[in-house]
Amino acid sequence: MLNIDSLEKGIVLDHIRAGSSMKIYDLLHLANLDCCVAVIKNAKSSKFGKKDIIKIEGAVDIDLDILGFIDHDITVNIIDNGKIIEKKQLVLPKVIKNVIRCKNPRCITSVEEEIDHVFHLTDDHTQKYRCIYCEQEYQDK
């Protein structure tokens, strides 16, 4: 049995879809932090079968919009004195900036390197994002 110590102070990202933790690790730039970060992949889950977990030690600020875009079912637990003091609920962000890229070759973001890649949520029910410059719908694949 693998044992990862509990946190005294920090953040635990729980119920991450199995196999998605490294994408989150990269998008949140966790490698740049000067603290302990534990990535647990394929942990047993009674609810999902398997899940990933990320534990971040210390007082850090993470972008909840990125997490909400990737998977708004992720549980964000804020830990202090070894106890969960707050659980944050994620929602699909209305706007995401520099998380995904527009794939339209005629979009200004393809020509101008310094322009931010900004997408807006068109409809909460369909959960589709469109580029604010060319209206190209974001396709994951």
Side-chain angles (χ1 to χ4, degrees), residues 39-50:
V39 177
I40 301 142
K41 295 179 68 172
N42 298 315
K44 290 181 185 177
S45 169
S46 57
K47 190 175 183 181
F48 300 113
K50 288 183 180 180

Side-chain angles (χ1 to χ4, degrees), residues 9-114:
K9 183 176 184 76
I11 299 172
V12 176
L13 306 177
D14 199 0
H15 302 108
I16 300 170
R17 195 175 314 122
S20 298
S21 59
M22 292 312 294
K23 180 178 181 180
I24 292 169
Y25 184 88
D26 291 336
L27 286 172
L28 293 177
H29 305 289
L30 297 180
N32 298 338
L33 295 179
D34 190 25
C35 63
C36 184
V37 177
V39 177
I40 301 142
K41 295 179 68 172
N42 298 315
K44 290 181 185 177
S45 169
S46 57
K47 190 175 183 181
F48 300 113
K50 288 183 180 180
K51 66 179 179 179
D52 289 358
I53 303 166
I54 298 176
K55 293 184 175 187
I56 307 165
E57 185 178 56
V60 293
D61 188 30
I62 60 170
D63 190 339
L64 297 179
D65 284 346
I66 291 174
L67 290 176
F69 170 72
I70 295 169
D71 183 357
H72 55 277
D73 292 326
I74 294 172
T75 304
V76 180
N77 297 312
I78 309 300
I79 312 295
D80 196 13
N81 291 324
K83 294 185 170 65
I84 298 173
I85 61 166
E86 183 180 1
K87 285 186 178 238
K88 295 193 181 223
Q89 298 297 317
L90 299 177
V91 295
L92 280 171
K94 300 289 184 201
V95 176
I96 52 173
K97 184 175 172 182
N98 295 326
V99 175
I100 53 178
R101 302 182 70 76
C102 185
K103 295 180 181 169
N104 181 355
R106 292 177 292 182
C107 182
I108 192 164
T109 59
S110 297
V111 179
E112 298 289 333
E113 292 181 19
E114 299 298 317

